[in-house]
Amino acid sequence: MDSPPLDVIRTDPQVARHASFTLHGSGASGGIAIGYAHLVSTARLEVPQYEIAPDEIDGEIERFDSAVTQVRGELVGLRASVPASAPAEMGAFLDLHRMILDDSMLSETPRELIRERRCNAELALVQQMEMLVARFEEIEDPYLRERKADVRQVVERVLKAMLGTGHAPPAPAHEENVVVVAHDFSPADMILFKQHQFAGFVTDLGGVTSHTAIVARSLGLPAIVGLHHARQMVRENELVIVDGAEGVLIVNPDERVLGEYRLKQSALQIERQKLKRLASTPASTLDGTPIELQANIELPDDVESALESGASGVGLFRTEFLFLNRDDLPSEDEQFEAYRAAVEAMRDQPVTIRTLDLGADKTVNGADRGGPNPALGLRAIRFCFAEPQMFLTQLRAILRASAYGRVRLLVPMLAHAHEIDLVFQYLQQARDTLEAMNVPYDRALEVGGMVEVPAAALAVPLFVKRLDFLSIGTNDLIQYTLAIDRTDDMVAHLYDPLHPAVLQLVAGTIRSAVKAGKPVAVCGEMAGEVAYTRLLLGFGLRQFSMHPMQLLAVKQQVLRSDLTEAEALASRILRADDPEKTRQLLGRLNA
Ligand code: PEP
Ligand code: MG
């Protein structure tokens, strides 16, 4: 598919082929994108779909067979190279993948499909995978049901092996004019888009604070999740408008609508340009109270945009993204280099490195221990305790990086005092190893905890006694307080940062931390939403961490905020006993 440049749109008679229609979802990342739809068949890879001539069938089957053979070789090689320190499941997982690959359902049936349907090998394989995955979904046993993820991973490997070996149409040429339409993306898929320059993304599934949506926001691209039927209803190359703020997708817009959105788009661009002037302005409220605005990053390269936005440090480095999209685990040295790169690039600004938050929607090959309810299962620090070698490796890498700048260590999903104690034991063990080898590290490294489980928010004294600082992860705090899976679009409408229970927990955590004299930040998505800036200031928050893309808009709001007024209205909002009243007061606060 090779999309024409956008200025051709208006004169291209093909574009108006189908009637215009609109789909509504949840706006995951603001801004407006206008471009051609590019449908992505599987989550991970763009799969070309085309018919082949009868005399091409044998060659196509050969292409498929050699990809399978190549992947078999890769799996055997990987199995042989599993290090002794790798999690126990690693080897078993590779064996399982080998078995899946060798099953005739995957290695034989697609050959028949190529012959019968005269379709390309990628399409045959994906169709077979979809059939298998549907069968897995019917299995009652949760463990077996989840093996569908393994089937997908094996298929993705084979697809990768086939890439470049067919007559597949090239990837869209003018990426900046392309809107990617998919049924779903995993956070791992989304991070791969950092290497592309698409205009926007829309998906059928997902909630606005899923990690997929968070990464979309960090890309600064308009995105909509939870559209339900976009993948089915939108056709390849149709002209679409993504209104990421409103969560509206307009397919085949008419001239008038197109014109309106072009105007809106330019107005937003001008606004963004203007905001850039604030990058070097210190953030403080109208009365001169300084406010820390820091950046959330996923990969070391993101520090570039953190610095551009004038962030006063990294408030959250989601290190688990270093572990995605690969079949092995990053070694201590590899991690150390990544952390050091971020720390050095930030110069004397602090970099808050969060220990692995794997599990739930971020799974790593070979160590997927999702369990029946992944968000409540072996996730984040619980996962690390279950994989001590992996945890110790990361702790050593972070400690080593601490010799090169101002590193702070942040631990996710803590709920119990004994978990904090155990973190310190592991940390000591990591320090001892480095001491024994004479490796330098910062002996005064600060250790903080994320408050993202209601139990933690209700027991802050227990945390501040043991830790140097706190960071409130509102994404999870809201998920766990309101009992809604943040990745599930079916319950996305219940996700409400203004729910009184959420506000009580956030305000209470800030109050208790301030009282104990311990720094407290918010690093969940609430911190990057201008609508909540004054509310959080009014609760006493002085440290915010968010995507670099959001930082300047939040700074502008801080610069225009009156603390006394914010405090008065925030305490009225806390006492409000009706959602309507809350919204009305918030409207006044933001006026
Ligand atoms: C949060 O839960 O608010 C948070 C910042 O962590 P994550 O989004 O990575 O779960
Ligand atoms: Mg979290």
Side-chain angles (χ1 to χ4, degrees), residues 379-445:
R379 179 189 165 185
I381 191 61
R382 303 168 182 184
F383 187 92
C384 287
F385 289 155
E387 299 290 349
Q389 288 315 319
M390 188 182 73
F391 190 38
L392 281 166
T393 304
Q394 181 176 41
L395 290 176
R396 287 193 301 271
I398 296 174
L399 280 168
R400 283 169 60 189
S402 73
Y404 295 83
R406 285 176 61 196
V407 172
R408 307 195 313 160
L409 186 90
L410 180 61
V411 185
M413 217 187 165
L414 290 166
H416 303 270
H418 61 77
E419 288 172 333
I420 306 175
D421 298 341
L422 194 51
V423 167
F424 279 105
Q425 281 175 33
Y426 278 115
L427 200 53
Q428 193 51 48
Q429 201 177 325
R431 284 187 180 119
D432 290 346
T433 310
L434 296 184
E435 294 276 352
M437 297 190 309
N438 256 333
V439 177
Y441 64 91
D442 176 9
R443 291 196 160 74
L445 177 90

Side-chain angles (χ1 to χ4, degrees), residues 209 211 214 296 316 318 320-321 354 357 362 379 412 450-452 472-477 486 495 523-525:
T209 58
H211 286 98
I214 288 175
N296 291 355
L316 173 65
R318 289 182 165 101
E320 56 278 1
F321 281 90
R354 180 173 74 180
D357 181 7
K362 288 172 293 193
R379 179 189 165 185
M450 288 196 68
V451 175
E452 43 188 357
I472 307 175
T474 47
N475 308 334
D476 279 312
L477 188 58
R486 60 196 262 203
Y495 196 94
C523 63
E525 296 301 291

